Amino acid sequence: MPVPGQLIFAGPRGAKPPRHLADLTPAERRAAVTELGERPFRAGQLSTHYFAHLTDDPSTMTDIPVASRERLADALMPALLTVVRHLEADRGATRKTVWRLFDGATVESVLMRYPDRVTMCVSSQAGCGMNCPFCATGQAGLTRNMSAAEIVDQVVTGARWLRRDEVAGGRGRVSNVVFMGMGEPLANYRAVIGAVRRLTEPVPDGLGLSERNVTVSTVGLVPAMARLSAEGLHVTLAVSLHAPDDQLRDTLVPVNTRWKVAEVLDAARSYFEVTGRRVSIEYALIRDINDDAWRADLLGTELNRRGRGWVHVNPIPLNPTPGSRWTASDPAVERTFVARLRAHGIPTTVRDTRGREIDGACGQLAAATPA
Ligand code: SAH
């Protein structure tokens, strides 16, 4: 059994997270097990414990001889995440977790129960380098990329709580994962793709989620969007647009100075062409900043210019972040914005603001005060 204290505090800044079987493909797991002097089929047993039984506790792995269990678990299932605290809202239906990683970095994830699904919003980086001025994560800068296993383990741990009836609402399972926690997923491309594969590979190689129930959200890193189209994964792509014109978007999403609105929308449209998956455009509505009716019209025009039926828009009432003078749009202004988009024939649904009061809603994840 790994000694948590050692693993969690021994890592100097800049060191890599310990290797975990969720970083590896099934073939790589067999190779790793063989290198440890064990028979290759042990890799499948370990994967079954982790992805099917949702356990990394060697004492439960009774199909593996005691001496081997400890060694295999030490080498391939080190503890990656430690709960710092939980915060609950919506009578427990929303639970934010602050995690500490092996090197002391902190990240957050949010588990949200709905009548028909359970969604986990996961972090892909500690911090974020994209510097969007309205986003809490953006204010602190990037600490480091997370490993594939650090990403996956957020979901596996949430799935374990649900299976063991440890969250309000009874037993359940994670059905959806959204990469909308801390970080820019496409800036940590390899680890995020690895994590998506682990989440969607059938049990016991992976967690067996449906690809369409996984959403990767991006500020619009155009080359990485093109690369993602070619992965053969049918995940949902969400693009954080927030403005249909370059002048404003340059300030709200600074990476827009590199890849412009037109290029981002073209890349989103080709993602739809290649994968057949309808793209989601995210638009945080910020009072008197980007909520003008003419911007809704311009957005509708720019989307329709690229075809019909390939996209929908998710306006998100801005969740105010500490120290910012910005706030959510007036409800009447929001209604007009939505009506204008719909008048252009664009399917539009306002995103709910689950977990606002625990700073667990979109753009509020900061993990600024590790306990
Ligand atoms: N870096 C990725 C994923 C993380 S954020 C991205 O930007 O897409 C998930 C969503 O929350 C993004 O659309 C982001 O723009 C939005 N968001 C950030 N700050 C917000 C805030 N204060 N209020 C509402 N939405 C916010």
Side-chain angles (χ1 to χ4, degrees):
M1 183 71 181
V3 181
Q6 281 180 2
L7 282 160
I8 293 157
F9 300 113
R13 289 262 165 202
K16 278 192 169 181
R19 181 179 69 163
H20 186 283
L21 70 84
D23 291 310
L24 308 176
T25 64
E28 290 167 343
R29 288 173 218 165
R30 284 191 292 277
V33 163
T34 311
E35 259 169 51
L36 293 164
E38 298 284 347
R39 312 257 298 283
F41 74 92
R42 298 276 179 226
Q45 291 178 309
L46 286 178
S47 301
T48 301
H49 286 296
Y50 185 69
F51 287 113
H53 305 152
L54 305 174
T55 182
D56 54 8
D57 173 1
S59 72
T60 66
M61 302 178 190
T62 50
D63 54 345
I64 307 176
V66 179
S68 303
R69 271 183 222 172
E70 301 280 335
R71 217 147 51 92
L72 287 168
D74 273 356
L76 289 169
M77 288 191 200
L80 297 174
L81 308 176
T82 309
V83 174
V84 175
R85 63 172 166 268
H86 295 298
L87 290 161
E88 293 191 349
D90 311 309
R91 292 200 217 92
T94 304
R95 176 194 254 199
K96 178 173 89 166
T97 304
V98 184
W99 311 96
R100 183 178 289 110
L101 309 181
F102 86 106
D103 56 355
T106 48
V107 298
E108 301 183 351
S109 42
V110 186
L111 186 155
M112 289 162 281
R113 294 191 87 137
Y114 298 89
D116 57 334
R117 64 186 194 280
V118 178
T119 300
M120 279 205 74
C121 176
V122 298
S123 294
S124 57
Q125 298 181 309
C128 185
M130 296 298 122
N131 207 23
C132 303
F134 55 90
C135 174
T137 311
Q139 304 321 297
L142 177 66
T143 302
R144 70 164 168 88
N145 281 332
M146 295 174 74
S147 66
E150 286 174 324
I151 298 168
V152 170
D153 205 42
Q154 296 167 68
V155 182
V156 169
T157 307
R160 182 182 304 144
W161 298 331
L162 286 163
R163 174 153 325 161
R164 296 184 184 167
D165 201 2
E166 290 173 13
V167 282
R171 292 180 55 155
R173 48 174 53 217
V174 177
S175 55
N176 296 61
V177 171
V178 297
F179 284 78
M180 295 186 183
M182 299 169 72
E184 165 51 39
L186 295 188
N188 182 17
Y189 190 86
R190 270 178 63 94
V192 165
I193 295 300
V196 170
R197 293 199 187 284
R198 296 304 101 69
L199 294 174
T200 57
E201 274 157 9
V203 181
D205 288 339
L207 209 52
L209 296 183
S210 148
E211 288 176 11
R212 63 185 56 240
N213 289 351
V214 175
T215 300
V216 174
S217 181
T218 180
V219 288
L221 305 184
V222 166
M225 289 166 74
R227 210 173 148 195
L228 182 65
S229 310
E231 292 286 346
L233 288 168
H234 297 84
V235 296
T236 302
L237 178 68
V239 176
S240 296
L241 200 69
H242 308 312
D245 55 305
D246 286 320
Q247 199 187 359
L248 179 58
R249 195 169 192 266
D250 280 350
T251 67
L252 294 181
V253 185
V255 79
N256 193 69
T257 56
R258 181 82 169 76
W259 293 289
K260 299 293 178 193
V261 170
E263 294 170 88
V264 172
L265 292 181
D266 287 346
R269 166 74 208 192
S270 40
Y271 186 83
F272 167 76
E273 253 152 61
V274 175
T275 63
R277 299 288 302 145
R278 199 163 71 153
V279 173
S280 175
I281 301 289
E282 292 161 282
Y283 199 109
L285 282 169
I286 314 174
R287 181 176 298 189
D288 298 334
I289 299 287
N290 65 351
D291 57 2
D292 328 66
W294 70 263
R295 284 200 159 93
D297 288 331
L298 179 58
L299 177 57
T301 304
E302 286 302 321
L303 297 178
N304 283 334
R305 188 206 296 288
R306 291 167 173 83
R308 294 278 173 162
W310 67 279
V311 67
H312 67 275
V313 175
N314 247 188
I316 314 169
L318 184 83
N319 292 302
T321 58
S324 169
R325 52 205 148 79
W326 287 337
T327 185
S329 299
D330 185 86
V333 172
E334 177 185 304
R335 278 196 297 277
T336 304
F337 196 90
V338 169
R340 291 286 184 112
L341 281 169
R342 289 190 179 143
H344 286 264
I346 307 288
T348 304
T349 25
V350 176
R351 168 89 52 86
D352 72 2
T353 51
R354 277 277 186 115
R356 246 175 113 132
E357 62 276 28
I358 53 169
D359 291 343
C362 301
Q364 293 186 309
L365 303 186
T369 50

PDB file of all heavy atoms in Angstrom, residues 293-316:
ATOM      1  N   ALA A 293     -27.769  43.152 -28.289  1.00  0.00           N
ATOM      2  CA  ALA A 293     -28.582  42.412 -29.269  1.00  0.00           C
ATOM      3  C   ALA A 293     -27.843  42.289 -30.607  1.00  0.00           C
ATOM      4  O   ALA A 293     -27.909  41.251 -31.272  1.00  0.00           O
ATOM      5  CB  ALA A 293     -29.927  43.114 -29.462  1.00  0.00           C
ATOM      6  N   TRP A 294     -27.109  43.329 -30.989  1.00  0.00           N
ATOM      7  CA  TRP A 294     -26.416  43.232 -32.283  1.00  0.00           C
ATOM      8  C   TRP A 294     -25.354  42.139 -32.276  1.00  0.00           C
ATOM      9  O   TRP A 294     -25.061  41.526 -33.296  1.00  0.00           O
ATOM     10  CB  TRP A 294     -25.850  44.587 -32.751  1.00  0.00           C
ATOM     11  CG  TRP A 294     -24.672  45.125 -31.971  1.00  0.00           C
ATOM     12  CD1 TRP A 294     -24.716  46.032 -30.956  1.00  0.00           C
ATOM     13  CD2 TRP A 294     -23.279  44.807 -32.178  1.00  0.00           C
ATOM     14  NE1 TRP A 294     -23.445  46.304 -30.505  1.00  0.00           N
ATOM     15  CE2 TRP A 294     -22.539  45.570 -31.239  1.00  0.00           C
ATOM     16  CE3 TRP A 294     -22.592  43.962 -33.043  1.00  0.00           C
ATOM     17  CZ2 TRP A 294     -21.145  45.505 -31.140  1.00  0.00           C
ATOM     18  CZ3 TRP A 294     -21.199  43.908 -32.952  1.00  0.00           C
ATOM     19  CH2 TRP A 294     -20.485  44.662 -32.005  1.00  0.00           C
ATOM     20  N   ARG A 295     -24.797  41.853 -31.088  1.00  0.00           N
ATOM     21  CA  ARG A 295     -23.796  40.775 -31.032  1.00  0.00           C
ATOM     22  C   ARG A 295     -24.479  39.413 -31.185  1.00  0.00           C
ATOM     23  O   ARG A 295     -23.913  38.493 -31.779  1.00  0.00           O
ATOM     24  CB  ARG A 295     -22.982  40.845 -29.740  1.00  0.00           C
ATOM     25  CG  ARG A 295     -21.936  41.963 -29.775  1.00  0.00           C
ATOM     26  CD  ARG A 295     -20.817  41.774 -28.760  1.00  0.00           C
ATOM     27  NE  ARG A 295     -19.632  42.536 -29.149  1.00  0.00           N
ATOM     28  CZ  ARG A 295     -19.355  43.776 -28.735  1.00  0.00           C
ATOM     29  NH1 ARG A 295     -20.165  44.400 -27.921  1.00  0.00           N
ATOM     30  NH2 ARG A 295     -18.269  44.388 -29.164  1.00  0.00           N
ATOM     31  N   ALA A 296     -25.699  39.293 -30.659  1.00  0.00           N
ATOM     32  CA  ALA A 296     -26.444  38.042 -30.878  1.00  0.00           C
ATOM     33  C   ALA A 296     -26.712  37.864 -32.371  1.00  0.00           C
ATOM     34  O   ALA A 296     -26.560  36.764 -32.920  1.00  0.00           O
ATOM     35  CB  ALA A 296     -27.752  38.057 -30.092  1.00  0.00           C
ATOM     36  N   ASP A 297     -27.096  38.973 -33.031  1.00  0.00           N
ATOM     37  CA  ASP A 297     -27.356  38.900 -34.474  1.00  0.00           C
ATOM     38  C   ASP A 297     -26.084  38.537 -35.241  1.00  0.00           C
ATOM     39  O   ASP A 297     -26.102  37.696 -36.141  1.00  0.00           O
ATOM     40  CB  ASP A 297     -27.893  40.247 -34.992  1.00  0.00           C
ATOM     41  CG  ASP A 297     -29.325  40.497 -34.515  1.00  0.00           C
ATOM     42  OD1 ASP A 297     -30.063  39.506 -34.308  1.00  0.00           O
ATOM     43  OD2 ASP A 297     -29.698  41.673 -34.339  1.00  0.00           O
ATOM     44  N   LEU A 298     -24.984  39.176 -34.873  1.00  0.00           N
ATOM     45  CA  LEU A 298     -23.722  38.883 -35.568  1.00  0.00           C
ATOM     46  C   LEU A 298     -23.321  37.419 -35.352  1.00  0.00           C
ATOM     47  O   LEU A 298     -22.896  36.733 -36.290  1.00  0.00           O
ATOM     48  CB  LEU A 298     -22.623  39.829 -35.057  1.00  0.00           C
ATOM     49  CG  LEU A 298     -21.229  39.631 -35.662  1.00  0.00           C
ATOM     50  CD1 LEU A 298     -21.255  39.769 -37.186  1.00  0.00           C
ATOM     51  CD2 LEU A 298     -20.232  40.641 -35.057  1.00  0.00           C
ATOM     52  N   LEU A 299     -23.497  36.938 -34.123  1.00  0.00           N
ATOM     53  CA  LEU A 299     -23.169  35.535 -33.846  1.00  0.00           C
ATOM     54  C   LEU A 299     -24.043  34.616 -34.702  1.00  0.00           C
ATOM     55  O   LEU A 299     -23.543  33.675 -35.340  1.00  0.00           O
ATOM     56  CB  LEU A 299     -23.351  35.235 -32.348  1.00  0.00           C
ATOM     57  CG  LEU A 299     -23.104  33.793 -31.914  1.00  0.00           C
ATOM     58  CD1 LEU A 299     -21.696  33.333 -32.297  1.00  0.00           C
ATOM     59  CD2 LEU A 299     -23.316  33.635 -30.400  1.00  0.00           C
ATOM     60  N   GLY A 300     -25.356  34.903 -34.724  1.00  0.00           N
ATOM     61  CA  GLY A 300     -26.267  34.089 -35.536  1.00  0.00           C
ATOM     62  C   GLY A 300     -25.835  34.074 -37.004  1.00  0.00           C
ATOM     63  O   GLY A 300     -25.797  33.013 -37.642  1.00  0.00           O
ATOM     64  N   THR A 301     -25.479  35.224 -37.521  1.00  0.00           N
ATOM     65  CA  THR A 301     -25.065  35.329 -38.918  1.00  0.00           C
ATOM     66  C   THR A 301     -23.781  34.544 -39.177  1.00  0.00           C
ATOM     67  O   THR A 301     -23.670  33.798 -40.163  1.00  0.00           O
ATOM     68  CB  THR A 301     -24.841  36.818 -39.291  1.00  0.00           C
ATOM     69  OG1 THR A 301     -26.045  37.524 -38.999  1.00  0.00           O
ATOM     70  CG2 THR A 301     -24.475  36.987 -40.745  1.00  0.00           C
ATOM     71  N   GLU A 302     -22.820  34.696 -38.278  1.00  0.00           N
ATOM     72  CA  GLU A 302     -21.528  34.006 -38.463  1.00  0.00           C
ATOM     73  C   GLU A 302     -21.690  32.483 -38.391  1.00  0.00           C
ATOM     74  O   GLU A 302     -21.005  31.747 -39.104  1.00  0.00           O
ATOM     75  CB  GLU A 302     -20.515  34.470 -37.409  1.00  0.00           C
ATOM     76  CG  GLU A 302     -19.968  35.862 -37.653  1.00  0.00           C
ATOM     77  CD  GLU A 302     -19.287  35.993 -39.017  1.00  0.00           C
ATOM     78  OE1 GLU A 302     -18.598  35.052 -39.442  1.00  0.00           O
ATOM     79  OE2 GLU A 302     -19.468  37.045 -39.666  1.00  0.00           O
ATOM     80  N   LEU A 303     -22.593  32.024 -37.508  1.00  0.00           N
ATOM     81  CA  LEU A 303     -22.808  30.572 -37.410  1.00  0.00           C
ATOM     82  C   LEU A 303     -23.550  30.068 -38.644  1.00  0.00           C
ATOM     83  O   LEU A 303     -23.160  29.056 -39.239  1.00  0.00           O
ATOM     84  CB  LEU A 303     -23.575  30.231 -36.122  1.00  0.00           C
ATOM     85  CG  LEU A 303     -22.847  30.577 -34.814  1.00  0.00           C
ATOM     86  CD1 LEU A 303     -23.717  30.239 -33.609  1.00  0.00           C
ATOM     87  CD2 LEU A 303     -21.505  29.847 -34.719  1.00  0.00           C
ATOM     88  N   ASN A 304     -24.585  30.778 -39.062  1.00  0.00           N
ATOM     89  CA  ASN A 304     -25.368  30.332 -40.223  1.00  0.00           C
ATOM     90  C   ASN A 304     -24.570  30.395 -41.521  1.00  0.00           C
ATOM     91  O   ASN A 304     -24.792  29.598 -42.427  1.00  0.00           O
ATOM     92  CB  ASN A 304     -26.633  31.174 -40.361  1.00  0.00           C
ATOM     93  CG  ASN A 304     -27.689  30.756 -39.347  1.00  0.00           C
ATOM     94  OD1 ASN A 304     -27.692  29.600 -38.894  1.00  0.00           O
ATOM     95  ND2 ASN A 304     -28.567  31.672 -38.972  1.00  0.00           N
ATOM     96  N   ARG A 305     -23.641  31.325 -41.593  1.00  0.00           N
ATOM     97  CA  ARG A 305     -22.781  31.436 -42.761  1.00  0.00           C
ATOM     98  C   ARG A 305     -22.042  30.118 -43.014  1.00  0.00           C
ATOM     99  O   ARG A 305     -21.659  29.790 -44.139  1.00  0.00           O
ATOM    100  CB  ARG A 305     -21.760  32.547 -42.503  1.00  0.00           C
ATOM    101  CG  ARG A 305     -20.888  32.934 -43.685  1.00  0.00           C
ATOM    102  CD  ARG A 305     -19.564  33.515 -43.215  1.00  0.00           C
ATOM    103  NE  ARG A 305     -19.654  34.767 -42.469  1.00  0.00           N
ATOM    104  CZ  ARG A 305     -19.969  35.935 -43.036  1.00  0.00           C
ATOM    105  NH1 ARG A 305     -20.216  36.000 -44.311  1.00  0.00           N
ATOM    106  NH2 ARG A 305     -20.015  37.016 -42.296  1.00  0.00           N
ATOM    107  N   ARG A 306     -21.834  29.373 -41.948  1.00  0.00           N
ATOM    108  CA  ARG A 306     -21.080  28.113 -42.046  1.00  0.00           C
ATOM    109  C   ARG A 306     -21.992  26.890 -42.129  1.00  0.00           C
ATOM    110  O   ARG A 306     -21.523  25.768 -41.980  1.00  0.00           O
ATOM    111  CB  ARG A 306     -20.119  28.013 -40.868  1.00  0.00           C
ATOM    112  CG  ARG A 306     -18.992  29.040 -40.970  1.00  0.00           C
ATOM    113  CD  ARG A 306     -18.194  29.189 -39.693  1.00  0.00           C
ATOM    114  NE  ARG A 306     -17.042  30.051 -39.906  1.00  0.00           N
ATOM    115  CZ  ARG A 306     -17.085  31.389 -39.870  1.00  0.00           C
ATOM    116  NH1 ARG A 306     -18.227  32.013 -39.624  1.00  0.00           N
ATOM    117  NH2 ARG A 306     -16.002  32.101 -40.105  1.00  0.00           N
ATOM    118  N   GLY A 307     -23.274  27.119 -42.319  1.00  0.00           N
ATOM    119  CA  GLY A 307     -24.198  25.994 -42.481  1.00  0.00           C
ATOM    120  C   GLY A 307     -25.252  25.956 -41.395  1.00  0.00           C
ATOM    121  O   GLY A 307     -25.245  26.777 -40.478  1.00  0.00           O
ATOM    122  N   ARG A 308     -26.139  24.981 -41.520  1.00  0.00           N
ATOM    123  CA  ARG A 308     -27.252  24.837 -40.576  1.00  0.00           C
ATOM    124  C   ARG A 308     -27.101  23.523 -39.823  1.00  0.00           C
ATOM    125  O   ARG A 308     -26.558  22.557 -40.335  1.00  0.00           O
ATOM    126  CB  ARG A 308     -28.582  24.805 -41.330  1.00  0.00           C
ATOM    127  CG  ARG A 308     -28.907  26.106 -42.030  1.00  0.00           C
ATOM    128  CD  ARG A 308     -29.517  27.077 -41.036  1.00  0.00           C
ATOM    129  NE  ARG A 308     -29.681  28.396 -41.651  1.00  0.00           N
ATOM    130  CZ  ARG A 308     -30.464  29.345 -41.191  1.00  0.00           C
ATOM    131  NH1 ARG A 308     -31.191  29.125 -40.104  1.00  0.00           N
ATOM    132  NH2 ARG A 308     -30.541  30.511 -41.788  1.00  0.00           N
ATOM    133  N   GLY A 309     -27.616  23.510 -38.594  1.00  0.00           N
ATOM    134  CA  GLY A 309     -27.733  22.242 -37.865  1.00  0.00           C
ATOM    135  C   GLY A 309     -26.427  21.689 -37.321  1.00  0.00           C
ATOM    136  O   GLY A 309     -26.373  20.553 -36.864  1.00  0.00           O
ATOM    137  N   TRP A 310     -25.373  22.503 -37.339  1.00  0.00           N
ATOM    138  CA  TRP A 310     -24.073  21.977 -36.904  1.00  0.00           C
ATOM    139  C   TRP A 310     -23.673  22.469 -35.512  1.00  0.00           C
ATOM    140  O   TRP A 310     -22.662  22.043 -34.966  1.00  0.00           O
ATOM    141  CB  TRP A 310     -22.984  22.367 -37.903  1.00  0.00           C
ATOM    142  CG  TRP A 310     -22.697  23.851 -37.961  1.00  0.00           C
ATOM    143  CD1 TRP A 310     -23.395  24.801 -38.635  1.00  0.00           C
ATOM    144  CD2 TRP A 310     -21.628  24.540 -37.301  1.00  0.00           C
ATOM    145  NE1 TRP A 310     -22.837  26.049 -38.432  1.00  0.00           N
ATOM    146  CE2 TRP A 310     -21.739  25.911 -37.620  1.00  0.00           C
ATOM    147  CE3 TRP A 310     -20.574  24.126 -36.465  1.00  0.00           C
ATOM    148  CZ2 TRP A 310     -20.858  26.872 -37.145  1.00  0.00           C
ATOM    149  CZ3 TRP A 310     -19.691  25.098 -35.989  1.00  0.00           C
ATOM    150  CH2 TRP A 310     -19.853  26.457 -36.333  1.00  0.00           C
ATOM    151  N   VAL A 311     -24.512  23.336 -34.925  1.00  0.00           N
ATOM    152  CA  VAL A 311     -24.029  24.040 -33.740  1.00  0.00           C
ATOM    153  C   VAL A 311     -25.206  24.420 -32.852  1.00  0.00           C
ATOM    154  O   VAL A 311     -26.335  24.574 -33.333  1.00  0.00           O
ATOM    155  CB  VAL A 311     -23.252  25.297 -34.212  1.00  0.00           C
ATOM    156  CG1 VAL A 311     -24.176  26.322 -34.874  1.00  0.00           C
ATOM    157  CG2 VAL A 311     -22.444  25.936 -33.100  1.00  0.00           C
ATOM    158  N   HIS A 312     -24.972  24.507 -31.573  1.00  0.00           N
ATOM    159  CA  HIS A 312     -25.943  25.172 -30.719  1.00  0.00           C
ATOM    160  C   HIS A 312     -25.190  26.092 -29.769  1.00  0.00           C
ATOM    161  O   HIS A 312     -23.975  25.962 -29.597  1.00  0.00           O
ATOM    162  CB  HIS A 312     -26.848  24.185 -29.988  1.00  0.00           C
ATOM    163  CG  HIS A 312     -26.160  23.345 -28.975  1.00  0.00           C
ATOM    164  ND1 HIS A 312     -25.512  22.177 -29.278  1.00  0.00           N
ATOM    165  CD2 HIS A 312     -26.003  23.522 -27.644  1.00  0.00           C
ATOM    166  CE1 HIS A 312     -24.996  21.663 -28.185  1.00  0.00           C
ATOM    167  NE2 HIS A 312     -25.272  22.454 -27.171  1.00  0.00           N
ATOM    168  N   VAL A 313     -25.920  27.011 -29.168  1.00  0.00           N
ATOM    169  CA  VAL A 313     -25.281  28.013 -28.318  1.00  0.00           C
ATOM    170  C   VAL A 313     -25.770  27.838 -26.884  1.00  0.00           C
ATOM    171  O   VAL A 313     -26.944  27.606 -26.625  1.00  0.00           O
ATOM    172  CB  VAL A 313     -25.568  29.449 -28.821  1.00  0.00           C
ATOM    173  CG1 VAL A 313     -24.994  30.487 -27.849  1.00  0.00           C
ATOM    174  CG2 VAL A 313     -24.977  29.660 -30.213  1.00  0.00           C
ATOM    175  N   ASN A 314     -24.835  27.925 -25.975  1.00  0.00           N
ATOM    176  CA  ASN A 314     -25.045  27.826 -24.537  1.00  0.00           C
ATOM    177  C   ASN A 314     -24.680  29.157 -23.877  1.00  0.00           C
ATOM    178  O   ASN A 314     -23.544  29.345 -23.481  1.00  0.00           O
ATOM    179  CB  ASN A 314     -24.060  26.787 -23.993  1.00  0.00           C
ATOM    180  CG  ASN A 314     -24.699  25.540 -23.463  1.00  0.00           C
ATOM    181  OD1 ASN A 314     -24.011  24.723 -22.880  1.00  0.00           O
ATOM    182  ND2 ASN A 314     -25.988  25.373 -23.641  1.00  0.00           N
ATOM    183  N   PRO A 315     -25.613  30.091 -23.778  1.00  0.00           N
ATOM    184  CA  PRO A 315     -25.281  31.280 -22.994  1.00  0.00           C
ATOM    185  C   PRO A 315     -25.172  30.891 -21.516  1.00  0.00           C
ATOM    186  O   PRO A 315     -25.946  30.064 -21.032  1.00  0.00           O
ATOM    187  CB  PRO A 315     -26.473  32.218 -23.224  1.00  0.00           C
ATOM    188  CG  PRO A 315     -27.187  31.669 -24.424  1.00  0.00           C
ATOM    189  CD  PRO A 315     -26.952  30.189 -24.387  1.00  0.00           C
ATOM    190  N   ILE A 316     -24.190  31.458 -20.829  1.00  0.00           N
ATOM    191  CA  ILE A 316     -23.978  31.182 -19.403  1.00  0.00           C
ATOM    192  C   ILE A 316     -24.042  32.519 -18.669  1.00  0.00           C
ATOM    193  O   ILE A 316     -23.245  33.398 -18.961  1.00  0.00           O
ATOM    194  CB  ILE A 316     -22.574  30.575 -19.134  1.00  0.00           C
ATOM    195  CG1 ILE A 316     -22.243  29.465 -20.138  1.00  0.00           C
ATOM    196  CG2 ILE A 316     -22.444  30.105 -17.709  1.00  0.00           C
ATOM    197  CD1 ILE A 316     -20.781  29.030 -20.093  1.00  0.00           C
TER     198      ILE A 316
END
